[in-house]
Amino acid sequence: MNRTIRRAGTVTLLLVMALMVRLTWVQVVHGEALADSEDNRRNTIEQYANPFGDIIVGGKPVTGSKRTDDGDLHYQRTYTDGPLYAPVTGFSSQVRGSTQLEGIYQSVLDGTDDRLKNPADLLMGKKAKPGNVLTTIDPGVQRAGYKALGGKKGAAVAIDPANGKILGVVSTPSFDPSTFAGSGKDDAKAWNKLNARSGGDKNDDQPTLNRALRQPVPPGSTFKLVVAAAALEDGLYSSVDVPTRSPDPYTLKGTSTVLKNENEAAPCKNATLRDALRYSCNNVFAKLATDLGKDKVRAQAEKFGFNDSKQDVPVRATKSGYPEKMDEAQTGLSGIGQYDVTATPLQMAMVTQAIAHGGELVDPHMVSQVQDSGGGALRSFEDPASHRVMSESNAEQLRSAMETVVEQGTGSNAKIPGATVGGKTGTAQHGVDNSGTPYAWFTSYGESSSGKQVAVAVVVEDSDAARAEVSGNGLAAPIAKSMMGAALG
C-alpha cells in the first residue's frame, strides 16, 4: 500500500475515533446538563406542548391554559383574577420563565415530575398528566385585603394561628400575569411596560415585587410586642400590669438624645406594659430593650422568626432582621422597631400568630397539598412543625394587653362587633433624616364567639394621605379589620 494512502487512512481512523470519544463524552458526561439547559429549545417546546395543571384557591382553579398558534409552543398560561392572586401564583411565561408557586411546582404543573408517572410511563419515557397545587388561601380574605388596600402601596398577610395556614397574601400594586404569558409582540410590550414601573427608583411601583413576603421594612412600634414578650419571658416584669421604671422622656443611654413619645400627653412615665402598648410609649420600650440587652431581645426575636434566611412558605421569604452588633443607644432604638430592625408583613403576622396561639408558633404555609391528576397526594403540608415562642401564661397576658390597645387605645379602627380583637399599631420612619413617608403598620388577631381565630399584619408604604395623617390606626387597621372580618365570617 502506498505510504501516503496508509498515513491518510491512519489519520482518518484517529479522527473517527476522536469523534466517537467526543460523542460518548457529550452523551454520557454532559448529556443531562445539556438536556436541562435553559438554552435547549426542546425543553420549552415540551413544557408548552400540552395544557398545564392548576393552582387551586378555595376549591377552584385560578390558573388555566389556552391553545396558541404562536410557532411551536402550543399552550400558554391564563389567570383568573390575575392581579388578585399574583402574589400567590407568581407567573409562568413562555419567554421569561416562572416564579413563586408556578416556578416551585413547575414540574408538577407541566407533567414532567417523575412522581406523576406510572411504571409504563417511566419505561416508555412518556409524559404524564399534570398535577395540581392546592393552596390554603381563603378567597374571601384575599379579596377583602386586596380591595381594602386599593390604590395604596402596601401588603398584608393573614394566618390561621391554630394550623399555620396562610389565608391571604396581598401585595399592591399588583400585575396581571396573563398579559405576558405568551411569546408574541403584545406580551413583550406588556412586559416592557411592567418593567418600566420596576426600575428601582424610590418612586417606582415595583408591581412584581411581593411586598408581603419579600419587602422587609422598619416595623416601628409593632416590634414592641417582641420586646414585651422578651421582658415577660426574662422575668424583668412579672405582669403586664406592673409599673415599669421608665422616665419620660427617656435619654438614649450614652448619648444626649432625648427620645419623646408621639403623644406627649400620654401617661407614659413608669407606665405598665399594658399602658405602654395602649399608648405606644417609646420611652418604656427603648428602656426595656436597653435593660434587657441586645442579646436577649435578639433571642426572643429569633424565636418569632427574625434572622431566618430560609423561611419557606414554600415561596422563600426575605429575612426579617434584628441586628447583632449595636451599642446601648442603638439597642434602645431597636426596642421601638427602628435602627436596623426590619420585618416583612409575614414576619409580623407570625408574631401575632404565636401570641394568639398560646405562645406556640406553627410554621406558616400557603400550600396544603400537591396532587397528581387523579387527586392523589404527592406531598401534604397538613401537619406542619411548631415550636414554643413564649409561655402560655405570658402569651395570655400579651393578648389581654393587645385587646386593651383596640378597645381603649391606638387601635380602635380594628374593632369588630361580636369578636375579640387585639392589635398593635406602628408608624415607622425611614429615609435619610426620616425624609421618606412613614410606613403605617398594624398587626392583630381576631377571635369569633365560636373560637375561630386569625392573625393579620398590614403595612402601608405609601398612600394619598398627608404625612401628618399617616398612622397605623388610620391607614392599616381598617385593612386588617376587613381581612379579619372575612376570615371570621
Side-chain angles (χ1 to χ4, degrees):
M1 182 182 295
N2 185 290
R3 181 180 296 177
T4 301
I5 296 175
R6 187 166 58 248
R7 288 178 176 175
T10 302
V11 170
T12 302
L13 180 61
L14 290 173
L15 289 173
V16 171
M17 292 177 65
L19 183 62
M20 293 177 65
V21 169
R22 176 59 180 169
L23 183 60
T24 302
W25 175 267
V26 169
Q27 289 180 330
V28 175
V29 178
H30 292 296
E32 186 173 348
L34 290 172
D36 295 336
S37 172
E38 294 181 359
D39 296 325
N40 188 344
R41 178 70 174 174
R42 292 183 179 180
N43 291 333
T44 306
I45 293 172
E46 180 183 4
Q47 181 182 359
Y48 292 96
N50 299 290
F52 295 85
D54 286 310
I55 296 172
I56 310 295
V57 172
K60 296 180 180 180
V62 296
T63 57
S65 302
K66 72 175 183 179
R67 182 79 182 186
T68 176
D69 297 325
D70 292 340
D72 49 10
L73 304 179
H74 298 315
Y75 286 88
Q76 74 178 53
R77 216 27 158 166
T78 61
Y79 296 86
T80 303
D81 291 323
L84 174 63
Y85 293 112
V88 177
T89 63
F91 64 77
S92 178
S93 166
Q94 292 178 344
V95 176
R96 289 151 191 97
S98 305
T99 62
Q100 299 199 168
L101 295 187
E102 289 277 32
I104 293 170
Y105 297 110
Q106 177 180 303
S107 61
V108 172
L109 294 168
D110 67 19
T112 58
D113 193 305
D114 285 343
R115 293 175 297 174
L116 298 168
K117 299 178 180 179
N118 57 41
D121 292 334
L122 289 170
L123 184 65
M124 301 296 293
K126 186 180 177 181
K127 188 174 181 179
K129 291 182 179 179
N132 299 315
V133 176
L134 276 62
T135 73
T136 61
I137 301 298
D138 182 316
V141 175
Q142 183 77 8
R143 194 173 296 278
Y146 184 73
K147 182 179 179 180
L149 268 164
K152 305 177 187 70
K153 183 187 294 185
V157 172
I159 305 175
D160 187 328
N163 50 38
K165 290 182 178 180
I166 297 178
L167 306 177
V169 179
V170 183
S171 179
T172 56
S174 190
F175 65 98
D176 186 353
S178 294
T179 60
F180 56 90
S183 54
K185 292 181 179 179
D186 289 342
D187 299 89
K189 185 177 179 181
W191 176 256
N192 291 335
K193 184 177 180 181
L194 195 61
N195 270 354
R197 298 169 60 192
S198 306
D201 184 88
K202 66 178 181 179
N203 295 318
D204 288 339
D205 292 336
Q206 295 181 282
T208 56
L209 172 64
N210 189 334
R211 289 178 160 81
L213 307 180
R214 294 178 173 173
Q215 177 78 326
V217 299
S221 293
T222 59
F223 190 75
K224 291 172 181 176
L225 293 172
V226 177
V227 181
L232 292 171
E233 287 291 286
D234 183 67
L236 187 61
Y237 293 102
S238 60
S239 163
V240 294
D241 294 309
V242 174
T244 61
R245 299 173 293 277
S246 309
D248 182 21
Y250 175 71
T251 302
L252 293 173
K253 202 163 184 180
T255 75
S256 58
T257 302
V258 176
L259 188 65
K260 297 180 179 180
N261 295 306
E262 190 73 23
N263 180 2
E264 295 186 16
C268 289
K269 183 178 180 179
N270 299 326
T272 64
L273 288 177
R274 182 187 301 276
D275 283 341
L277 288 170
R278 176 185 177 186
Y279 296 107
S280 203
C281 300
N282 290 335
N283 62 311
V284 173
F285 289 97
K287 187 175 185 297
L288 271 181
T290 307
D291 290 347
L292 287 165
K294 62 180 184 295
D295 292 338
K296 289 182 178 179
V297 179
R298 185 175 66 254
Q300 184 64 56
E302 289 178 349
K303 287 181 180 180
F304 281 113
F306 283 81
N307 295 337
D308 184 356
S309 60
K310 296 182 179 179
Q311 180 65 258
D312 297 330
V313 294
V315 176
R316 175 64 56 87
T318 301
K319 179 180 74 174
S320 298
Y322 185 83
E324 183 173 350
K325 297 180 180 179
M326 294 183 290
D327 59 27
E328 288 185 303
Q330 293 163 341
T331 301
L333 288 174
S334 77
I336 61 172
Q338 295 288 171
Y339 187 54
D340 285 343
V341 181
T342 59
T344 60
L346 170 67
Q347 177 59 74
M348 293 316 302
M350 290 167 62
V351 171
T352 45
Q353 171 197 356
I355 294 170
H357 193 49
E360 185 178 21
L361 179 64
V362 183
D363 287 353
H365 55 285
M366 63 177 177
V367 170
S368 59
Q369 203 170 81
V370 182
Q371 297 182 337
D372 60 24
S373 60
L378 300 177
R379 187 176 182 185
S380 177
F381 299 89
E382 296 292 345
D383 188 23
S386 64
H387 67 274
R388 183 150 293 281
V389 169
M390 60 191 304
S391 72
E392 189 171 354
S393 61
N394 285 337
E396 183 180 359
Q397 290 201 62
L398 269 187
R399 286 199 303 275
S400 175
M402 291 173 70
E403 289 164 20
T404 301
V405 171
V406 174
E407 291 299 321
Q408 304 172 26
T410 58
S412 58
N413 285 340
K415 291 180 183 178
I416 299 176
T420 300
V421 178
K424 182 68 192 81
T425 55
T427 305
Q429 299 173 337
H430 75 289
V432 179
D433 296 327
N434 302 323
S435 59
T437 303
Y439 297 124
W441 277 92
F442 193 75
T443 187
S444 60
Y445 71 88
E447 183 172 345
S448 68
S449 57
S450 64
K452 188 175 184 180
Q453 290 185 322
V454 63
V456 176
V458 177
V459 63
V460 178
E461 294 181 36
D462 201 1
S463 71
D464 295 332
R467 182 184 178 91
E469 297 174 356
V470 173
S471 71
N473 190 43
L475 293 178
I479 299 168
K481 176 181 178 179
S482 293
M483 297 182 76
M484 288 189 292
L488 300 177

